[in-house]
Amino acid sequence: MLRCLLLLLIVFNFFLGFSQEEKESDSIADYYIRFEGDSVLQSSIPLDEVYIFGKLEFADKKEKLRYYILRRKTIKVYPYAKLASERLVELNDSLTKIKKKRHQKKYTKKVQKYIEGEFSAELKKLTRTEGQILVKLIHRQTGSTAFDLVKELRSGWRAFWYNTTAKAFKISLKEEFKPEEVHEDYLIEDILQRAFTYDKLERQKSVLDYDYAVLSNKWKNTTPKKAN
């Protein structure tokens, strides 16, 4: 009888130790993933930031109509702001590699003519409100107002921005994108984030420092402030 008890105790301890060892080795830290084309093993999978959008709610039909008009205009002009940001980055990168100012000026004029041919004709077709949204989105994408870009860049760019934007639209080139302070700017950001998620627009992250989720929570309980 004593031998049977000892045998059962030994067997029990064996299985107890085995189960503990199995439990410890069965942790997520022991599983590694190798992505195709990458020789480094990863212990986790990085995921893109995902937003869960609330249902759109409007106080009345007028507010609803205003939102959908704003959405149509924002989706229309966003590609131009994205393109302007990309061209600005390319221009600045290229200018840093060109030492002589004479060559920098020549290169800038060349880029200016290329951009004018690329989308200036389309810009002239925009309405005043579409132009103002575009100016805001340029600030969102570059961190600089259209006015500051005019000052910083060469005379060709100055003529381009004034001729195709300010004079055509009679808008403020100093307008900034402030979704934390202006409700309409938050709505523009909301429109963009929804469009990015549903693949209606190609995502380009804003260079400005704000968090869309924080903004959404703020504006739920804040009386909207209209843009000037």
Side-chain angles (χ1 to χ4, degrees), residues 48-53 189-204 212:
D48 293 333
E49 194 172 40
V50 176
Y51 295 120
I52 299 177
F53 301 104
E189 184 64 28
D190 179 76
I191 289 165
L192 290 178
Q193 292 300 332
R194 291 174 188 267
F196 295 153
T197 300
Y198 299 121
D199 296 324
K200 291 183 178 179
L201 292 175
E202 184 178 350
R203 183 182 295 274
Q204 187 183 65
Y212 170 70

Side-chain angles (χ1 to χ4, degrees), residues 38-39 46 86 115-116 142 171 173:
D38 191 353
S39 60
E86 293 168 350
I115 293 178
E116 283 185 347
T142 67
I171 58 178
L173 294 179

Side-chain angles (χ1 to χ4, degrees), residues 80-81 83-85 87-88 91 112 115-116 119 123 131 134-135 138 142 145-151 153-169 171 173:
Y80 299 123
L83 182 60
S85 174
R87 294 296 180 264
L88 179 63
L91 175 63
Q112 177 238 333
I115 293 178
E116 283 185 347
F119 65 98
L123 289 181
L134 174 60
V135 169
I138 287 174
T142 67
T145 64
F147 180 82
D148 289 335
L149 291 176
V150 166
K151 288 200 305 181
L153 300 176
R154 301 298 186 265
S155 58
W157 276 87
R158 184 178 297 112
F160 169 72
W161 284 115
Y162 276 122
N163 289 336
T164 63
T165 307
K167 289 184 180 179
F169 306 131
I171 58 178
L173 294 179

